[in-house]
Structure formats: C-alpha cells, structure tokens
C-alpha cells in the first residue's frame, strides 16, 4: 500500500490544467465558429442592414476568442475559489484501486474501472468512462508508477 499527501494549491491546479488540456478535445480554438459568426455578422450588418444583430454576432466572435485565450487562468481561478483549494489530499494506492480524499471531496477508482493510464511530462492521467483524474509525479515514485501501469494492464 502506498500513501502520500499533497496540497491543492495554485501550482498544482496550473499543472493539472496544462497536462489535462492536451488530452481534451477543447485545446484548439474554434476557428470555424469564429469565422461563421464573423461571416454572419457581415451578412447581417451590410446586406440585411441589421446593425444591431451584426454587432451582436461580431461581439460573440470576439467573446469566443477571449474565452479561449483566458481558458487556463479562468479555470485555475475557479478552482482557487472552490472550498477545496488549499486543502490536503490524502492519496492511497493499493491492490483494490486508487483513493484520494480531502475534507470536501473524495474519489475512489477500482482498477477494473480504469480504461487507460496516460503518462504525461509531469504526471499521469487516469481515464475512466466519463471522468479523468490527474496525479502529479511529485507525489508518486517510480515504484508506484510501475505498480499502477501493471495493475491497469491486467
């Protein structure tokens, strides 16, 4: 059985976002949507003489660009405002699975419920059916990483 503790601080949240976003479908800007909104804005503004609607569509395109640009700081800020921010997480890895708990939330994953474990530059991502969990290498050692990968290959 392996046990470790870590704190949910800003550095951890930033690392979690940076490593997890690579696995996400949403890591690229929606250029098609932005182009579509701008095209509709021009169409509304200049061809239909609906300046209000055209300006609204232009602003939606700008908002989509800004939302993508500030995705990381916005996500980290929301995590920092959560009540779990600053709390200690107790991580336990044993023959049954992986358990992480803090005073506000806990998750327990059995080995058979894990679809895949992906090694990243700074940690691992545990992929389940609907959820992913990130664990930093800072709280794991090589021996427990080998154990995790051996358990998920069964």
């Amino acid at each position: 059985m392996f046990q470790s503790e870590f704190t949910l601080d800003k550095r951890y949240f930033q690392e979690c976002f940076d490593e997890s976003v690579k696995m996400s479908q949403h890591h690229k800007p929606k250029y098609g949507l932005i182009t579509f909104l701008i095209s509709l804005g021009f169409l509304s503004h200049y061809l239909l003489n609906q300046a209000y609607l055209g300006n609204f569509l232009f602003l939606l395109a700008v908002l989509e660009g800004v939302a993508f640009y500030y995705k990381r700081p916005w996500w980290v800020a929301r995590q920092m405002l959560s009540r779990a921010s600053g709390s200690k997480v107790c991580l336990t890895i044993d023959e049954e699975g992986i358990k992480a708990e803090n005073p506000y939330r806990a998750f327990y994953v059995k080995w058979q419920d894990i679809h895949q474990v992906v090694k990243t530059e700074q940690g691992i991502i545990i992929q389940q059916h609907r959820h992913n969990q990130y664990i930093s290498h800072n709280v794991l050692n090589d021996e427990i990483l080998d154990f995790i990968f051996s358990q998920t290959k069964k």
Side-chain angles (χ1 to χ4, degrees), residues 22-34:
K22 298 170 190 172
M23 302 291 297
S24 171
Q25 305 161 356
H26 308 290
H27 70 283
K28 294 181 182 172
K30 299 175 184 171
Y31 294 119
L33 177 62
I34 293 171

Side-chain angles (χ1 to χ4, degrees), residues 5-18:
E5 281 190 355
F6 60 94
T7 303
L8 294 174
D9 57 3
K10 186 175 183 178
R11 187 204 56 76
Y12 189 84
F13 289 133
Q14 289 170 336
E15 179 182 326
C16 180
F17 182 87
D18 293 340

Side-chain angles (χ1 to χ4, degrees), residues 19-139:
E19 295 298 302
S20 299
V21 77
K22 298 170 190 172
M23 302 291 297
S24 171
Q25 305 161 356
H26 308 290
H27 70 283
K28 294 181 182 172
K30 299 175 184 171
Y31 294 119
L33 177 62
I34 293 171
T35 303
F36 180 68
L37 289 171
I38 291 172
S39 300
L40 283 179
F42 275 115
L43 179 73
S44 299
H45 201 279
Y46 295 110
L47 293 179
L48 300 176
N49 291 324
Q50 296 288 327
Y52 179 77
L53 179 61
N55 290 337
F56 178 74
L57 292 169
F58 289 141
L59 286 175
L60 279 179
V62 169
L63 182 63
E64 181 61 37
V66 169
F68 177 78
Y69 186 77
Y70 289 106
K71 186 186 318 184
R72 180 181 188 251
W74 175 243
W75 186 86
V76 171
R78 286 193 333 257
Q79 302 312 307
M80 292 300 295
L81 292 173
S82 74
R83 61 185 174 169
S85 176
S87 65
K88 289 245 187 250
V89 176
C90 180
L91 177 69
T92 306
I93 301 172
D94 58 20
E95 298 293 329
E96 300 293 319
I98 300 174
K99 180 179 180 182
E101 58 186 339
N102 66 24
Y104 306 103
R105 189 150 187 233
F107 85 86
Y108 179 70
V109 183
K110 294 182 180 179
W111 294 117
Q112 60 265 24
D113 296 337
I114 297 174
H115 293 302
Q116 184 179 10
V117 176
V118 178
K119 189 172 186 176
T120 66
E121 292 178 25
Q122 298 183 47
I124 59 172
I125 296 176
I126 300 164
Q127 294 182 332
Q128 298 168 265
H129 179 63
R130 293 186 176 200
H131 303 286
N132 292 340
Q133 299 291 337
Y134 175 78
I135 303 174
S136 176
H137 281 311
N138 294 336
V139 298

